[in-house]
Amino acid sequence: MSKRVLLSSLAGALVLGGVAAGGLAMASDATEPSVRNGSARYAAPSDAGAGSLTFTADVSDDSGVKSLKVVAWPASSELDPTEAEMRHVDGATCESTSGGTSRCTYTLRVTQSEAADLAEGTWYVSALATAKDGGTTFVPRAAAFEVAAR
């Protein structure tokens, strides 16, 4: 192999390597969504009416927020949902607050008969945020709340 062909090949490899590295740097600039300020509140039903579980969080991504999936589960059950399982649960309602940030709220109505079957003690809320560009962030314990004796 001549030195000229070898040098041309090396130069081409360096150029391609530089382009690939630049592409990786650009790809690494993309961020995953963030879930912040998650809070959950459980209000037991009363004789006057149904109770509720409300989970609220601020979700951000530079591409915008597509969805937030939410599930509540008792710590005593040891369910511990996975990211894959979260794709098939209820979604929160998300409203844009600025740029790529949305305030997402999930509300579940709880009747007296449903409340009677709830495990007492600590419950967790798991959340799966999905950005408009397809990025996801799974938060296994985005918030906790207590269910007290009725």
Side-chain angles (χ1 to χ4, degrees):
M1 182 182 292
S2 76
K3 289 182 184 177
R4 192 176 327 170
V5 171
L6 183 58
L7 289 175
S8 296
S9 297
L10 287 174
L14 289 174
V15 169
L16 286 176
V19 169
L24 289 175
M26 288 177 63
S28 68
D29 287 344
T31 60
E32 298 301 316
S34 68
V35 179
R36 293 195 173 105
N37 305 320
S39 66
R41 186 172 80 61
Y42 173 72
S46 66
D47 291 336
S52 65
L53 164 65
T54 302
F55 172 74
T56 303
D58 296 322
V59 181
S60 300
D61 187 80
D62 55 356
S63 71
V65 177
K66 179 179 178 183
S67 67
L68 181 70
K69 300 284 192 156
V70 178
V71 68
W73 51 281
S76 62
S77 72
E78 299 180 15
L79 284 175
D80 214 4
T82 65
E83 181 173 351
E85 293 168 330
M86 291 296 296
R87 298 182 193 283
H88 307 288
V89 300
D90 292 336
T93 301
C94 297
E95 295 183 20
S96 178
T97 56
S98 67
T101 302
S102 292
R103 168 67 51 100
C104 299
T105 304
Y106 171 76
T107 303
L108 179 66
R109 184 174 174 252
V110 181
T111 66
Q112 284 188 347
S113 62
E114 292 166 335
D117 293 334
L118 294 179
E120 293 178 18
T122 302
W123 282 60
Y124 296 115
V125 176
S126 296
L128 176 65
T130 303
K132 288 184 179 178
D133 65 6
T136 61
T137 296
F138 174 56
V139 184
R141 288 177 177 83
F145 63 96
E146 297 293 319
V147 173
R150 292 156 279 299

